Amino acid sequence: MSSSDSDHDRDHDRDRDLTSRSAAGLAAAVRSGEVSAREVVDAHLARIEALDGSVHAFLHVTADGARARADALDAQRRSDGPESLPPLAGVPVAVKDVLCTRGVPTTCGSRILEGWLPPYDATVVARLEASGAIAVGKANMDEFAMGSSTENSAFGPTHNPWDLGRVPGGSSGGSAAAVAAGFAPLALGTDTGGSIRQPAALCGVVGVKPTYGRVSRYGVVAFASSLDQVGPFARTVEDAALLLEAVWGHDPADSTSIPTPCEPILPGLERGVAGLRVGVVRELTEVDGIQPEVSAALEQAVKLLEQAGATLDSVSVPSAIYGLPAYYLIAPAEASSNLARFDGIRYGLRVVPGEPGSANAAAMNGATRHAGFGAEVKRRIMLGTYALSAGYYDAYYGQAQRVRTLIIRDFDRAYEHFDVLLSPTTPTTAFPLGDKVDDPLAMYLSDVCTIPTNLAGAAAMSIPAGLDGSGLPIGVQVLAPGLGEAVMFRVARALELGFGFAARARPGGPA
Amino acid sequence: MTPPEPSTPSTPSAPTTPSETDAPDTIEVGLDGHADGWELVVGLEVHVELATATKLFCGCANEFGQEPNTNVCPVCLGLPGALPVLNELVVEYALRVGEAFHFDVPAQSVFARKNYFYPDMPKNFQTSQYDEPICLGGHLDVDGVRITITRAHMEEDTGKTTHVGGGGRIHDADFSLVDYNRAGVPLLEIVSEPDIRSSEQAKAYASELRATLEAIGVSDVKMEEGSMRVDANVSVRRRGSDGFGTRTETKNVNSIRSLGRAIEYERARQIEVLEAGGRVVQETRHWNENDGQTHSMRSKEEAYDYRYFPEPDLVPVAPTPEMRAAVRAAMPELPAARRDRLVAAWAITERDAAALLGTPGLADYAEAAVSALEALEALEALAVDGARGGSPRDIVNWVNGEIAGHLNETGSSPAALSLAPAALAELVGLVAAGTISRNQAKDVLGEALADGRRPARIVTDRGLAQVSDESSLGSVIDGILAANADAVAEYRAGDDKARKKKRGFFMGEAMKALAGQGNPQVLNRLLDEKLEGNG
């Protein structure tokens, strides 16, 4: 493309600049005409092309679609003027592969959906498009969002851009890594037990799990319906708010969607935390095996908020420690039912066993599920099937739902005294690939701090809080009551300012 | 072509009976071959397809008989990511059913997932209701006996599987095709207690249930098309015993009549098994209309564990007081009240009224015809010499006679008849006016049913109109009497027997002269006058 080395270097610098900018900055630049949407998209696609071979954040890059969309926005700007552009016009975004995209492969990281082209867009995907954001690809994930490292993807793991030998977290590891690596300033993920916040922490980006019902689940391939929630990844708190505001709000196609209007986040983002009461959740801070640097980062967060004028105190949410076991009954129970539809009859993989013509539907069904699902998915289907079985329902699923009620009650009590709560996002920084693959329980424990929020149906987000001794990002978690996104973001913004964390990962060395 | 497979699920709370009655020491056998020492126990599970414009959880059309897989969308196909949204009209219909059968409708009811694998069920779970259904504890009075209805709950229908090749049954088919047009169609499952003690009572219950559902406008209630499906839980026990025998569930019963036959067959079969010292196996059985028998649907009974749990994609259903009040205020007349009204207003028998209500659409048809008749007579009353006299009873006689017979033969429905209610009224008017005789009217009716021509038109086309005009009939009779003076003399001289014979002769000659179209009543009167009068 370039006719000389200096041109090439200039292009390269230009691309590096564009892929470092925030979503807000890119949207402003496109609107002002400083850059075209096409240039922005090309810069990100070039970076993906150059580096995703080593990160593997994407399962499918939609380069042609993204360029066409960018050209259309540029044409719109020329014909109808900059004011006609929607708020996120020209901003690249990575979309977790659990979200249905019309005519674009949607696998959920599973062999069983290989080759399936959804005939419809998820509501959030449609709203993303309406906001002007441009989907550049489908992000890798643990199969059906079951996992905390993205190693359960049937198509190979994603590598943490900060250290390619380590996991990016999961299940939305591809989305988190894409944002950390500069493949897109924004990404959508889903969070069922921490699947946005934990990878956000491990990749040094902002990750938000909104209130259950605040973002539509229509077109989100279900893992655990009563816990799943879509949310944004970004490198800045403001960008996360921009993306959340672009996709949230009532959707009549989702019966669990909350009809009340959303309190906007951005207008109050810089209001500070003076006078806010912040509780540090004892049960989520004193977890077994917590890395000292993670505890230190939380201490630092407490100090920063106090300095900014908030009142800090310790608070107990006694039932929070039962969140993990309750979660591992409720989520698999719902999953066992949600994943029953993958039977080889209507779409996706079909494996016909035995001689041609000899198989019946049940045998085909069994062979398809045997070949199509990975080990962790099978483990959870079996766990959930067992938990719902006659004679065990009350002891397992029923008991877990009672624990859930207790957790909701305990959080409600805490929020009588505090505006938001604080905890680590995850007990440790990113662990090496393969480290916990053979120890599911150890893997499950990386979500111990995030799970209670899902069970409570409330909101929480992870904010980068510096690096540990190995140069790996640490996250702190801000928890808010249901529909408390605005105050939660204010606290997150204060922490962002305090920590001054603006670093971006450099996968594969200086790029 | 499409044998029903166990895809229409049965309720979890079906009347179930753990203990099996011990075989008796002695057996009394009645004349009909049934042992008198046994009592029949029946509970009915009725699945009703609700006649909403759209499906239960999506906007797809709820229509019967479309091209396969045309009324489908991501939701009713259970595509990954799709979510259900409850059709409010289904709740309204369920509330109507709640009113009609005196159910308790709790403040909230909850959808639940019933998990099992079957190819015609897109999600491999059925969204149904389990321990918190919308209707609880209703009843229906049938011939003075109160049958308790345990519950009614909302659920989605499954798709339809067609097995192709071999014998058309699942086991020897070459392949199977699935049509998901029916998937997600709203159903209401209405489950009775095992309160029914005879096949006649079962038929009466099903019939009254059907008439009630029809009256409140929630379903087509067509058993032949499957919009009302009745499964019979049948067991027998020794008379005087408190416990229940082991029950079987019989499916594929496609008419009220078949219901009676299937229950009778099952009763005889179970008694025979028990009397031979065997045990009744709790199983699902398939009624075969052709051989008049029930057949085991599964070689061995599988123990299903449906792993019910509350549907997390839907919120509890909580009808507002306003919605309940609106439904209550809009409740139409129910069959029992309608029967009473028709008996009183039309001077017909209870039996006639029951017959009208026993076939979907028949009472509506009769009422429309009576209205048309009244309108017709009001018009004719304005005309000089307007003939009057057609009555609602005449309408009912035709409807319960020839028309019901025609419906039975053809399997058609009243609404689909080519003879409109107004046309029937016209026919009754023609008979009442003496234009045609009742015998001629039967022929006219037959033709009208066959080709849809109006009765008056048929009468004209065939030249059927009776000659009732007194002067023309009088001159015909005068001519006959003049030409047969001997016979007239014999008549006048003869005894009663001879007179009757001669009278028959004169009548026959007159009819011959009139090509059979003379009005018999008028002819008779004129004959009397002329033979007796001017002696």
Short mmCIF file of all heavy atoms in Angstrom, two decimals, chain A residues 117-154:
data_model
loop_
_atom_site.label_atom_id
_atom_site.label_comp_id
_atom_site.label_asym_id
_atom_site.label_seq_id
_atom_site.Cartn_x
_atom_site.Cartn_y
_atom_site.Cartn_z
N LEU A 117 -25.39 -20.59 11.11
CA LEU A 117 -25.53 -19.16 10.83
C LEU A 117 -26.87 -18.71 11.39
O LEU A 117 -27.91 -19.09 10.84
CB LEU A 117 -25.46 -18.90 9.33
CG LEU A 117 -24.16 -19.32 8.62
CD1 LEU A 117 -24.26 -19.05 7.12
CD2 LEU A 117 -22.95 -18.59 9.21
N PRO A 118 -26.87 -17.92 12.45
CA PRO A 118 -28.16 -17.48 13.01
C PRO A 118 -28.95 -16.68 11.98
O PRO A 118 -28.36 -15.88 11.25
CB PRO A 118 -27.75 -16.59 14.20
CG PRO A 118 -26.35 -16.95 14.51
CD PRO A 118 -25.73 -17.39 13.21
N PRO A 119 -30.26 -16.89 11.92
CA PRO A 119 -31.08 -16.10 11.01
C PRO A 119 -31.51 -14.77 11.62
O PRO A 119 -32.32 -14.06 11.04
CB PRO A 119 -32.30 -17.00 10.78
CG PRO A 119 -32.42 -17.78 12.04
CD PRO A 119 -31.02 -17.95 12.59
N TYR A 120 -30.98 -14.45 12.79
CA TYR A 120 -31.42 -13.20 13.42
C TYR A 120 -30.30 -12.64 14.30
O TYR A 120 -29.37 -13.35 14.67
CB TYR A 120 -32.67 -13.43 14.27
CG TYR A 120 -32.46 -14.17 15.57
CD1 TYR A 120 -32.52 -13.50 16.79
CD2 TYR A 120 -32.16 -15.52 15.58
CE1 TYR A 120 -32.33 -14.16 17.98
CE2 TYR A 120 -31.96 -16.20 16.77
CZ TYR A 120 -32.04 -15.51 17.98
OH TYR A 120 -31.83 -16.18 19.15
N ASP A 121 -30.40 -11.32 14.58
CA ASP A 121 -29.45 -10.64 15.45
C ASP A 121 -29.97 -10.59 16.88
O ASP A 121 -31.17 -10.35 17.11
CB ASP A 121 -29.25 -9.18 15.00
CG ASP A 121 -28.23 -9.04 13.88
OD1 ASP A 121 -27.29 -9.86 13.84
OD2 ASP A 121 -28.38 -8.11 13.07
N ALA A 122 -29.07 -10.78 17.84
CA ALA A 122 -29.43 -10.52 19.23
C ALA A 122 -29.82 -9.05 19.34
O ALA A 122 -29.33 -8.20 18.58
CB ALA A 122 -28.25 -10.82 20.14
N THR A 123 -30.70 -8.74 20.31
CA THR A 123 -31.11 -7.35 20.50
C THR A 123 -29.90 -6.44 20.71
O THR A 123 -29.82 -5.35 20.14
CB THR A 123 -32.07 -7.25 21.71
OG1 THR A 123 -33.25 -7.99 21.40
CG2 THR A 123 -32.45 -5.80 21.99
N VAL A 124 -28.92 -6.90 21.51
CA VAL A 124 -27.75 -6.04 21.76
C VAL A 124 -26.94 -5.82 20.49
O VAL A 124 -26.36 -4.75 20.31
CB VAL A 124 -26.83 -6.61 22.88
CG1 VAL A 124 -27.49 -6.43 24.24
CG2 VAL A 124 -26.45 -8.04 22.62
N VAL A 125 -26.91 -6.81 19.62
CA VAL A 125 -26.18 -6.67 18.37
C VAL A 125 -26.87 -5.64 17.48
O VAL A 125 -26.23 -4.77 16.87
CB VAL A 125 -26.03 -8.03 17.66
CG1 VAL A 125 -25.48 -7.85 16.24
CG2 VAL A 125 -25.13 -8.95 18.47
N ALA A 126 -28.19 -5.71 17.44
CA ALA A 126 -28.96 -4.74 16.65
C ALA A 126 -28.76 -3.33 17.21
O ALA A 126 -28.62 -2.35 16.46
CB ALA A 126 -30.43 -5.12 16.65
N ARG A 127 -28.76 -3.22 18.55
CA ARG A 127 -28.59 -1.89 19.15
C ARG A 127 -27.17 -1.37 18.94
O ARG A 127 -26.97 -0.16 18.77
CB ARG A 127 -28.92 -1.96 20.66
CG ARG A 127 -30.41 -2.16 20.88
CD ARG A 127 -30.80 -2.04 22.34
NE ARG A 127 -32.23 -2.25 22.48
CZ ARG A 127 -32.89 -2.24 23.63
NH1 ARG A 127 -32.23 -2.02 24.76
NH2 ARG A 127 -34.19 -2.44 23.67
N LEU A 128 -26.22 -2.29 18.95
CA LEU A 128 -24.83 -1.93 18.67
C LEU A 128 -24.75 -1.31 17.29
O LEU A 128 -24.15 -0.23 17.10
CB LEU A 128 -24.00 -3.23 18.71
CG LEU A 128 -22.53 -3.15 19.03
CD1 LEU A 128 -22.32 -2.52 20.40
CD2 LEU A 128 -21.94 -4.56 19.02
N GLU A 129 -25.35 -1.97 16.33
CA GLU A 129 -25.32 -1.47 14.96
C GLU A 129 -26.00 -0.10 14.88
O GLU A 129 -25.51 0.81 14.22
CB GLU A 129 -26.02 -2.48 14.04
CG GLU A 129 -26.25 -1.93 12.64
CD GLU A 129 -25.96 -2.92 11.54
OE1 GLU A 129 -25.46 -4.02 11.86
OE2 GLU A 129 -26.21 -2.58 10.37
N ALA A 130 -27.13 0.02 15.60
CA ALA A 130 -27.84 1.30 15.57
C ALA A 130 -27.00 2.42 16.19
O ALA A 130 -27.16 3.59 15.84
CB ALA A 130 -29.18 1.16 16.30
N SER A 131 -26.10 2.05 17.10
CA SER A 131 -25.28 3.07 17.77
C SER A 131 -24.11 3.50 16.89
O SER A 131 -23.36 4.41 17.26
CB SER A 131 -24.73 2.51 19.08
OG SER A 131 -23.63 1.64 18.82
N GLY A 132 -23.95 2.82 15.76
CA GLY A 132 -22.86 3.17 14.87
C GLY A 132 -21.58 2.38 15.10
O GLY A 132 -20.65 2.44 14.31
N ALA A 133 -21.54 1.63 16.20
CA ALA A 133 -20.37 0.81 16.47
C ALA A 133 -20.26 -0.27 15.39
O ALA A 133 -21.26 -0.69 14.81
CB ALA A 133 -20.47 0.17 17.85
N ILE A 134 -19.04 -0.69 15.12
CA ILE A 134 -18.81 -1.64 14.02
C ILE A 134 -18.21 -2.94 14.57
O ILE A 134 -17.11 -2.93 15.14
CB ILE A 134 -17.87 -1.02 12.97
CG1 ILE A 134 -18.55 0.22 12.36
CG2 ILE A 134 -17.50 -2.04 11.90
CD1 ILE A 134 -17.66 1.00 11.41
N ALA A 135 -18.95 -4.02 14.41
CA ALA A 135 -18.46 -5.32 14.90
C ALA A 135 -17.32 -5.78 14.00
O ALA A 135 -17.48 -5.87 12.78
CB ALA A 135 -19.59 -6.33 14.90
N VAL A 136 -16.16 -6.07 14.61
CA VAL A 136 -15.02 -6.52 13.80
C VAL A 136 -14.83 -8.03 13.90
O VAL A 136 -14.07 -8.61 13.13
CB VAL A 136 -13.71 -5.81 14.20
CG1 VAL A 136 -13.77 -4.35 13.78
CG2 VAL A 136 -13.44 -5.94 15.70
N GLY A 137 -15.52 -8.68 14.83
CA GLY A 137 -15.38 -10.13 14.88
C GLY A 137 -16.06 -10.74 16.09
O GLY A 137 -16.55 -10.02 16.97
N LYS A 138 -16.09 -12.07 16.08
CA LYS A 138 -16.72 -12.83 17.16
C LYS A 138 -15.61 -13.33 18.08
O LYS A 138 -14.68 -14.02 17.65
CB LYS A 138 -17.52 -14.00 16.58
CG LYS A 138 -18.62 -13.60 15.62
CD LYS A 138 -19.69 -12.69 16.22
CE LYS A 138 -20.57 -13.34 17.25
NZ LYS A 138 -21.55 -14.30 16.71
N ALA A 139 -15.74 -12.98 19.35
CA ALA A 139 -14.66 -13.23 20.30
C ALA A 139 -14.73 -14.63 20.90
O ALA A 139 -15.80 -15.17 21.17
CB ALA A 139 -14.70 -12.18 21.41
N ASN A 140 -13.55 -15.18 21.10
CA ASN A 140 -13.40 -16.52 21.67
C ASN A 140 -13.95 -16.57 23.10
O ASN A 140 -14.04 -15.54 23.79
CB ASN A 140 -11.92 -16.91 21.67
CG ASN A 140 -11.70 -18.41 21.82
OD1 ASN A 140 -12.65 -19.21 21.74
ND2 ASN A 140 -10.45 -18.81 22.03
N MET A 141 -14.28 -17.76 23.54
CA MET A 141 -14.92 -17.91 24.85
C MET A 141 -14.83 -19.36 25.30
O MET A 141 -14.64 -20.26 24.49
CB MET A 141 -16.39 -17.50 24.75
CG MET A 141 -17.17 -18.29 23.69
SD MET A 141 -18.87 -17.71 23.48
CE MET A 141 -19.62 -18.42 24.94
N ASP A 142 -15.00 -19.57 26.60
CA ASP A 142 -15.16 -20.94 27.06
C ASP A 142 -16.45 -21.47 26.47
O ASP A 142 -17.45 -20.75 26.34
CB ASP A 142 -15.26 -20.97 28.59
CG ASP A 142 -13.90 -20.78 29.26
OD1 ASP A 142 -13.00 -21.60 29.00
OD2 ASP A 142 -13.75 -19.81 30.02
N GLU A 143 -16.46 -22.74 26.13
CA GLU A 143 -17.62 -23.35 25.49
C GLU A 143 -18.90 -23.07 26.28
O GLU A 143 -18.98 -23.37 27.48
CB GLU A 143 -17.41 -24.87 25.35
CG GLU A 143 -18.53 -25.55 24.58
CD GLU A 143 -18.27 -27.04 24.35
OE1 GLU A 143 -17.28 -27.56 24.90
OE2 GLU A 143 -19.08 -27.65 23.62
N PHE A 144 -19.87 -22.47 25.61
CA PHE A 144 -21.15 -22.11 26.22
C PHE A 144 -20.97 -21.29 27.51
O PHE A 144 -21.78 -21.37 28.43
CB PHE A 144 -22.05 -23.33 26.46
CG PHE A 144 -22.61 -23.86 25.17
CD1 PHE A 144 -22.14 -25.05 24.63
CD2 PHE A 144 -23.60 -23.17 24.49
CE1 PHE A 144 -22.63 -25.52 23.42
CE2 PHE A 144 -24.11 -23.64 23.29
CZ PHE A 144 -23.63 -24.82 22.75
N ALA A 145 -19.88 -20.52 27.54
CA ALA A 145 -19.60 -19.61 28.67
C ALA A 145 -19.31 -20.35 29.97
O ALA A 145 -19.43 -19.79 31.05
CB ALA A 145 -20.74 -18.60 28.85
N MET A 146 -18.91 -21.61 29.85
CA MET A 146 -18.62 -22.40 31.03
C MET A 146 -17.11 -22.51 31.23
O MET A 146 -16.46 -23.36 30.61
CB MET A 146 -19.24 -23.79 30.91
CG MET A 146 -20.75 -23.75 30.83
SD MET A 146 -21.41 -25.40 30.57
CE MET A 146 -23.13 -24.99 30.25
N GLY A 147 -16.59 -21.65 32.09
CA GLY A 147 -15.16 -21.70 32.35
C GLY A 147 -14.65 -20.35 32.80
O GLY A 147 -15.37 -19.35 32.72
N SER A 148 -13.40 -20.32 33.27
CA SER A 148 -12.82 -19.10 33.81
C SER A 148 -11.45 -18.83 33.20
O SER A 148 -10.65 -18.10 33.77
CB SER A 148 -12.69 -19.21 35.33
OG SER A 148 -13.93 -19.59 35.90
N SER A 149 -11.17 -19.44 32.03
CA SER A 149 -9.85 -19.27 31.44
C SER A 149 -9.87 -19.24 29.92
O SER A 149 -8.84 -19.03 29.29
CB SER A 149 -8.94 -20.42 31.91
OG SER A 149 -9.38 -21.64 31.32
N THR A 150 -11.01 -19.49 29.31
CA THR A 150 -11.16 -19.61 27.86
C THR A 150 -10.45 -20.85 27.32
O THR A 150 -10.39 -21.06 26.11
CB THR A 150 -10.68 -18.33 27.12
OG1 THR A 150 -11.15 -17.19 27.87
CG2 THR A 150 -11.29 -18.19 25.74
N GLU A 151 -9.93 -21.68 28.24
CA GLU A 151 -9.31 -22.92 27.78
C GLU A 151 -10.36 -23.96 27.38
O GLU A 151 -10.03 -24.98 26.77
CB GLU A 151 -8.40 -23.50 28.87
CG GLU A 151 -7.15 -22.65 29.11
CD GLU A 151 -6.47 -23.02 30.41
OE1 GLU A 151 -7.06 -22.78 31.48
OE2 GLU A 151 -5.35 -23.54 30.36
N ASN A 152 -11.63 -23.72 27.76
CA ASN A 152 -12.67 -24.67 27.38
C ASN A 152 -13.24 -24.39 26.00
O ASN A 152 -14.20 -25.04 25.59
CB ASN A 152 -13.81 -24.65 28.40
CG ASN A 152 -13.36 -25.18 29.75
OD1 ASN A 152 -12.44 -25.99 29.83
ND2 ASN A 152 -14.01 -24.72 30.81
N SER A 153 -12.68 -23.42 25.28
CA SER A 153 -13.12 -23.22 23.90
C SER A 153 -12.72 -24.44 23.08
O SER A 153 -11.60 -24.94 23.19
CB SER A 153 -12.45 -21.97 23.31
OG SER A 153 -12.66 -21.94 21.90
N ALA A 154 -13.67 -24.91 22.26
CA ALA A 154 -13.36 -26.06 21.40
C ALA A 154 -12.36 -25.69 20.32
O ALA A 154 -11.81 -26.56 19.64
CB ALA A 154 -14.64 -26.58 20.76
#
